[in-house]
Amino acid sequence: MNIETQNTVNGWKLYTLSNQHHMSVSLLNYGGIITTINVPDRHNNIENVVLGFKNHADYAQNPNFLGALIGRVAGRIQGASFTIENQVFDVEANEGTHHLHGGASGFHQVIWAASPFQTKDTVGVVLTHTSADGEGGYPGTVEMTVTYTLTNNNELIIDYAATSDKTTALTLTNHSYFNLTGNVARTIHNHHVTIACDEFVELDNELIPTGNKLDVTNTPFDFRTGRLIADGINSTFTQNIVAGHGYDHYFILNPKQTEAIRVEDEVSGRVITIKTDQPGVVMYTSNNLTEGLELAEGTSKRYDGVCFETQASPASLHHEDFPTVLLEAHVPYDKQTVFSFSVVK
C-alpha cells in the first residue's frame, strides 16, 4: 500500500493511492475529483477506467462534473426552489430554470482540506469542508467529511458524513464517468449492466421528475437480469429519447439485494460491482457529454462513460413517497458506496 502527494496547478494537490494488486486511484483536493482509476484487465494490462482531463487546470471549469464530489444536492431541483418547514429557499438556477448539482458554488468547486492516511490493508484521504449557512441558498452550516479508501481487495470505498445545525437538503455523490474498456478504447455501448431495481423515476422534457414511478418490466429500463447500455441508446422508448437517447434516470434500488449494480466489459473482462446504503442511483450514459474536450486518453465524445450516482432523490422536495434528501438538524448524515473492481477470465 502506498500514497503519493504532488502539487499540481492552482496550488491544488493530487493524491495517488495504490495497493499491492496494481490498482491505483488519483484524486484532487479540489472538488474531491477522481482523475484516474487504473486497474488490470484479464490480461493484466493496467489502464485507466474513468474519464479525466489531460490538463488538471481544465477542472476549474468542469460543466460535465468529471470525477467530482457533488453537493449539497446531487441532481436537479425543480424550479431552483424548495420549502422546508414552511420557509421557501431559492437556490441558483444553473440549468434553465432548475438547479443542478449544487450550482456554481457546489462542492465540486471547493478546495477541501485533505489528510492522507495509511493502515496495513488500506490507504486513503480524508476530505473536510464547512459549508456556511446560506451558501448557495441552502440553510444550515454543514460540517462535511468525505473519505476515499483504497483496499487491498481492489475496493474503492467512499464514505460521506455530515451534520447541519439547521434542517437542510443534502444528498451527496461522486460523478465519475466509468469506461471499462480501458483508456477509452471504445464507447460504453457494450457495457453489460445489472441493477437490482423494479421501478425508475419518470422524467419530463427538461429532465425533471414528473412524480411518477414506472415499472421497469418490458422496458429498456429492466436491468434486473442484465442488459447492454446500447439497448437504451438505440431505443425508441419515450424515456430514453427524453434523456437524449440513453439514460439519465433515478433507479430505486431493491433494499433486499446487497450488490446493487454490476457492470462488465466483455472484451477487457473488467467488472465493477457497486454496493451502497443509498436508496437509489442515477445512471447517466453521457448522452449530453460535451464533445471535443481534451481528455487524458483523447477527445471526448458522447457515450464515452457511464456514471452511477448513488444518492437520495431531489424529487422528494416536490413529490411525496420519494427517498428524501432532507437532513434534520443535528442528525448525522452517514452514507457509503463501495466500488469493487475485478476481472472475468
Side-chain angles (χ1 to χ4, degrees):
M1 308 297 290
N2 188 48
I3 183 167
E4 296 180 2
T5 305
Q6 66 184 85
N7 296 317
T8 182
V9 297
N10 302 328
W12 305 339
K13 291 187 182 297
L14 180 73
Y15 298 89
T16 299
L17 318 174
S18 55
N19 68 13
Q20 296 169 358
H21 300 292
H22 309 294
M23 178 176 172
S24 66
V25 177
S26 294
L27 63 116
L28 294 166
N29 62 341
Y30 176 75
I33 292 168
I34 294 174
T35 61
T36 57
I37 297 178
N38 290 300
V39 293
D41 68 4
R42 63 160 57 94
H43 302 296
N44 220 31
N45 298 310
I46 311 298
E47 293 172 314
N48 179 31
V49 295
V50 292
L51 304 188
F53 285 114
K54 181 178 180 180
N55 301 307
H56 287 166
D58 290 341
Y59 286 112
Q61 302 295 327
N62 189 11
N64 297 275
F65 305 95
L66 297 184
L69 286 176
I70 304 297
R72 290 187 187 190
V73 170
R76 294 173 175 86
I77 296 178
Q78 178 181 343
S81 180
F82 56 90
T83 302
I84 298 178
E85 297 169 352
N86 298 318
Q87 183 175 351
V88 176
F89 295 93
D90 294 316
V91 290
E92 179 189 0
N94 62 321
E95 189 181 69
T97 60
H98 310 297
H99 177 80
L100 175 65
H101 288 336
S105 59
F107 294 161
H108 64 291
Q109 296 202 312
V110 165
I111 297 178
W112 294 66
S115 301
F117 66 89
Q118 185 170 351
T119 70
K120 179 182 177 182
D121 297 312
T122 67
V123 64
V125 178
V126 178
L127 301 175
T128 56
H129 172 64
T130 300
S131 179
D133 183 23
E135 188 175 275
Y138 289 94
T141 297
V142 178
E143 300 291 342
M144 289 289 318
T145 302
V146 178
T147 305
Y148 288 96
T149 304
L150 175 64
T151 76
N152 237 348
N153 295 321
N154 283 7
E155 296 169 321
L156 173 61
I157 303 170
I158 308 180
D159 288 294
Y160 305 89
T163 56
S164 175
D165 62 356
K166 297 179 181 178
T167 297
T168 191
L170 187 79
T171 187
L172 310 175
T173 197
N174 178 273
H175 206 283
S176 288
Y177 291 74
F178 293 96
N179 185 317
L180 296 182
T181 67
N183 295 342
V184 199
R186 294 171 299 282
T187 61
I188 57 167
H189 284 71
N190 291 323
H191 280 38
H192 188 269
V193 178
T194 307
I195 306 176
C197 165
D198 301 319
E199 291 182 313
F200 71 101
V201 174
E202 183 182 52
L203 300 178
D204 67 17
N205 289 327
E206 294 184 341
L207 302 177
I208 298 299
T210 63
N212 295 326
K213 299 173 187 174
L214 302 181
D215 189 332
V216 301
T217 305
N218 297 322
T219 77
F221 288 76
D222 190 351
F223 286 89
R224 289 174 294 190
T225 58
R227 71 187 318 139
L228 298 178
I229 288 175
D231 291 353
I233 293 173
N234 299 325
S235 170
T236 58
F237 189 66
T238 300
Q239 283 296 297
N240 293 119
I241 294 172
V242 161
H245 297 279
Y247 301 92
D248 194 5
H249 293 73
Y250 188 78
F251 291 78
I252 299 169
L253 297 173
N254 186 337
K256 296 178 182 178
Q257 293 183 242
T258 56
E259 185 180 294
I261 301 159
R262 186 181 191 275
V263 191
E264 180 181 339
D265 173 52
E266 183 179 357
V267 176
S268 70
R270 292 187 179 96
V271 176
I272 307 176
T273 56
I274 303 172
K275 297 179 181 180
T276 186
D277 53 11
Q278 290 279 21
V281 61
V282 173
M283 182 172 71
Y284 172 52
T285 49
S286 60
N287 326 310
N288 300 304
L289 179 65
T290 303
E291 301 200 323
L293 300 173
E294 192 175 1
L295 303 182
E297 276 77 33
T299 303
S300 67
K301 57 187 178 299
R302 293 175 75 195
Y303 311 120
D304 262 354
V306 56
C307 303
F308 295 97
E309 305 161 51
T310 55
Q311 58 178 96
S313 174
S316 62
L317 294 170
H318 296 94
H319 302 284
E320 294 182 356
D321 197 29
F322 282 80
T324 184
V325 298
L326 289 185
L327 176 66
E328 294 183 11
H330 309 296
V331 174
Y333 178 94
D334 185 14
K335 300 294 181 182
Q336 183 183 80
T337 298
V338 180
F339 300 89
S340 299
F341 296 83
S342 60
V343 293
V344 291
K345 300 298 184 183

